[in-house]
């Protein structure tokens, strides 16, 4: 079982697409472990996107991610990191396959609705950045015989 961090970005929240995205994650069999709504502090955004600090779009990216409410969440499941990246599609909505979240709902390279950790190491770093250990919720009801 893996855990990964997703963020429903401010465009996703503003466009009322949170339910749609959460429904796709749940139907895929991913388990919700943590979820909250917040206005992302700039310092947290800078840490989260530190790998992009020298990119020309870094300023624009920080402005975007701090522009309005966002929903970070942790999900758990088999191969959760790669499965979530597949559900998201490519970075640019224009290049993302129909059937993916970015492919179905976006046509922008910057405003692409949902973040997903790109590796297990990133997932561990990002989960620790966005959530305190006690915010990761155990849910025994998930342990059913036919859990996906
Ligand atoms: P990813 O989210 O698919 O992993 P990254 O290359 O890690 O994509 O970029 C992080 C985020 O930065 C993207 O999700 C997108 O919001 C934004 N971004 C990426 N490339 C560009 C760009 O060329 N212009 C503006 N924003 C970009
Ligand atoms: Mg990335």
């Amino acid at each position: 079982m893996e855990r990964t961090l997703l963020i429903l970005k401010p465009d996703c929240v503003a466009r009322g697409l949170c339910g749609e995205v959460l429904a796709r994650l749940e139907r895929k069999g991913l388990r919700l472990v943590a979820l909250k709504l917040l206005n992302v502090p700039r310092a947290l955004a800078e840490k989260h996107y530190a790998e992009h600090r020298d990119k020309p779009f870094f300023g624009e990216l920080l402005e975007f991610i701090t522009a309005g409410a966002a929903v970070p969440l942790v999900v758990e499941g088999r191969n959760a990191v790669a499965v979530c990246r597949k559900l998201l599609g490519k970075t640019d909505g224009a290049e993302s396959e129909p059937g993916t979240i970015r492919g179905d709902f976006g046509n922008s390279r910057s405003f692409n609705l949902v973040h997903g950790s790109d590796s297990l190491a990133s997932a561990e770093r990002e989960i620790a950045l966005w959530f305190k250990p006690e915010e990761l919720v155990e849910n025994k009801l998930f342990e059913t015989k036919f859990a996906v």
Side-chain angles (χ1 to χ4, degrees):
M1 284 295 164
E2 285 180 10
R3 287 179 173 183
T4 190
L5 182 95
L6 301 169
I7 305 169
L8 312 185
K9 300 185 188 185
D11 57 335
C12 183
V13 178
R15 290 176 57 195
L17 290 171
C18 294
E20 172 70 41
V21 173
L22 291 175
R24 289 178 180 221
L25 299 171
E26 290 184 309
R27 288 189 315 216
K28 184 65 182 171
L30 294 159
R31 304 161 172 194
L32 288 172
V33 173
L35 181 152
K36 61 189 169 189
L37 176 75
L38 81 169
N39 283 297
V40 180
R42 193 177 168 90
L44 176 55
E46 282 174 6
K47 275 189 203 156
H48 175 77
Y49 281 125
E51 65 169 307
H52 297 303
R53 93 168 68 77
D54 298 324
K55 304 266 173 66
F57 59 82
F58 187 59
E60 186 192 320
L61 176 57
L62 290 187
E63 199 179 317
F64 165 44
I65 213 74
T66 60
V71 177
L73 62 143
V74 177
V75 297
E76 181 179 81
R78 181 168 167 256
N79 298 327
V81 173
V83 165
C84 286
R85 293 283 291 192
K86 270 196 183 160
L87 290 177
L88 293 191
K90 299 203 173 122
T91 303
D92 189 333
E95 292 167 9
S96 294
E97 294 296 324
T100 65
I101 291 164
R102 289 164 170 176
D104 284 348
F105 302 115
N107 198 12
S108 166
R109 185 173 176 80
S110 14
F111 310 133
N112 57 6
L113 299 158
V114 185
H115 166 82
S117 307
D118 63 7
S119 67
L120 207 45
S122 299
E124 279 168 19
R125 184 186 80 86
E126 293 173 3
I127 289 168
L129 206 52
W130 290 84
F131 291 96
K132 299 176 193 142
E134 63 267 29
E135 290 177 314
L136 304 175
V137 177
E138 199 187 326
N139 188 342
K140 292 195 171 69
L141 286 182
F142 283 133
E143 304 304 325
T144 65
K145 189 174 177 187
F146 301 111
V148 179

